[in-house]
Amino acid sequence: MTATTPLPISIDDVHAAAARLDGVAHRTPLLRSRTLDARIGAPVALKAENLQRAGAFKFRGACNAVAALRPDGVCSVSSGNHAQALALAAREHGARATILMPADAPASKRAATEGYGAEVIEFDRYADDRDALARELAAERGFTLVHPYDDPLVMAGQGTVGLELVGELDDLDAVVVPVGGGGLIAGVATAVRALHPQARVVGVEPEAGDDVARSLRAGERVSVDVPQTIADGQQVTTPGEHTWPVIRALVDDVVTVADAEIVDAMRLLFERVKVVAEPSGATALAALMAGRVALRGGSVGVVISGGNVDAARFAALTAT
């Protein structure tokens, strides 16, 4: 990418997404904890996307895509959060939805996806080519494929998280964002860089799935094996074709956290903030708690990206 090559999305795209989502997606609250502030040594604002419709930030991107495209039917591939979001967005717009989900996806996420009216087809995340399966399904059904992250409309929708953060935090020093395929951080970085350029954008991955961190070091997209991690929403093997140039251009750093650190963050959120976060949703806070994000003064915005974890799994993880 040269300096003159336009990025896949712009701040205008994010503003357009915000207009489409107005009154449809929730404007999620910023949650605070004095205990957390004292532990981190800075004011921490938790962007509670676990309270978004369908339980995660994914509804923003899915709904923006469906609202813009107005398809008769949509399909995608997802371990759970995008599946639920796209199913709900399709229902809201009178479209059919078929979702490819890994056979080992959390049962609660599959149940919610089907509850929103979508058809679910299983695949093996460790053996099948998920993107090839999705393309084949779209061609076979005549549906519009809405990729879970590597789609400019989806990325722009996720960028409204950053738009809201910038609008509420005048002293914003850094925004810390979970990274899977990169749709969320690409959108957030687009908004933050355009409207509050002095703030840093830091991504967080599980240690076992550090494809974006490796890609930034290498200066090109790097692939890893399917990560073995409790953060099922971040079991991605390589940055997206569209998300990568945005990440490379606008994201300051990507750091990693261990599964045990993710559990620590989930526990703190539950005990001190009274918030339930799924493992992927807690990775950004885990990095901050582990001291992996440099502080320069000012507020730190932390995206709690989702809360779709069933009671049994949450209890099992946080009891250890």
Side-chain angles (χ1 to χ4, degrees):
M1 183 184 69
T2 66
T4 58
T5 302
L7 295 175
I9 61 170
S10 70
I11 188 61
D12 290 340
D13 297 314
V14 179
H15 281 303
R20 293 188 191 102
L21 297 176
D22 186 33
V24 181
H26 296 324
R27 185 182 182 94
T28 53
L30 291 180
L31 305 179
R32 307 271 190 169
S33 165
R34 291 182 180 178
T35 299
L36 181 58
D37 290 353
R39 176 165 177 172
I40 300 304
V44 178
L46 302 168
K47 184 61 170 166
E49 285 298 292
N50 57 306
L51 303 180
Q52 185 55 259
R53 295 186 69 183
F57 75 95
K58 291 285 191 178
F59 181 71
R60 295 174 184 263
C63 193
N64 185 50
V66 175
L69 297 171
R70 296 285 178 173
D72 293 328
V74 294
C75 64
S76 194
V77 55
S78 167
S79 65
N81 283 346
H82 179 68
Q84 294 170 79
L86 186 60
L88 176 57
R91 190 183 75 179
E92 293 280 297
H93 290 86
R96 294 170 293 164
T98 300
I99 312 293
L100 289 158
M101 295 188 74
D104 62 348
S108 60
K109 293 186 177 184
R110 173 168 181 163
T113 302
E114 293 176 326
Y116 290 130
E119 175 190 3
V120 171
I121 299 174
E122 290 185 358
F123 73 97
D124 184 341
R125 77 163 86 223
Y126 301 102
D128 295 329
D129 183 335
R130 52 184 279 162
D131 289 335
L133 289 175
R135 290 191 296 268
E136 291 168 7
L137 178 63
E140 176 187 311
R141 301 285 178 92
F143 283 3
T144 297
L145 175 60
V146 180
H147 198 278
Y149 54 85
D150 208 24
D151 180 309
L153 285 169
V154 170
M155 295 156 62
Q158 319 306 24
T160 60
V161 173
L163 206 61
E164 292 173 15
L165 266 173
V166 170
E168 295 183 47
L169 295 173
D170 293 333
D171 63 338
L172 187 62
D173 170 40
V175 181
V176 191
V177 187
V179 180
L184 175 61
I185 198 168
V188 168
T190 298
V192 172
R193 282 284 178 252
L195 302 176
H196 200 89
Q198 63 269 39
R200 293 166 297 137
V201 180
V202 179
V204 184
E205 296 179 296
E207 284 180 349
D210 62 343
D211 55 291
V212 180
R214 291 190 189 198
S215 296
L216 281 178
R217 291 195 297 269
E220 61 184 6
R221 293 165 70 202
V222 172
S223 296
V224 300
D225 293 335
V226 176
Q228 298 286 343
T229 173
I230 62 171
D232 62 277
Q234 293 173 283
Q235 287 181 299
V236 180
T237 60
T238 191
E241 180 180 349
H242 296 294
T243 62
W244 166 242
V246 181
I247 293 169
R248 184 173 59 177
L250 303 181
V251 172
D252 293 283
D253 194 13
V254 174
V255 300
T256 63
V257 289
D259 281 1
E261 292 169 332
I262 296 172
V263 171
D264 287 344
M266 293 172 65
R267 189 181 293 113
L268 182 140
L269 285 168
F270 180 73
E271 293 178 349
R272 295 295 186 173
V273 193
K274 311 309 175 187
V275 157
V276 173
E278 63 188 281
S280 299
T283 55
L285 179 59
L288 195 61
M289 289 170 56
R292 309 242 159 78
V293 180
L295 303 177
R296 305 179 305 184
S299 294
V300 182
V302 178
V303 180
I304 307 302
S305 59
N308 290 320
V309 57
D310 63 57
R313 185 168 189 241
F314 183 86
L317 287 170
T318 56
T320 57

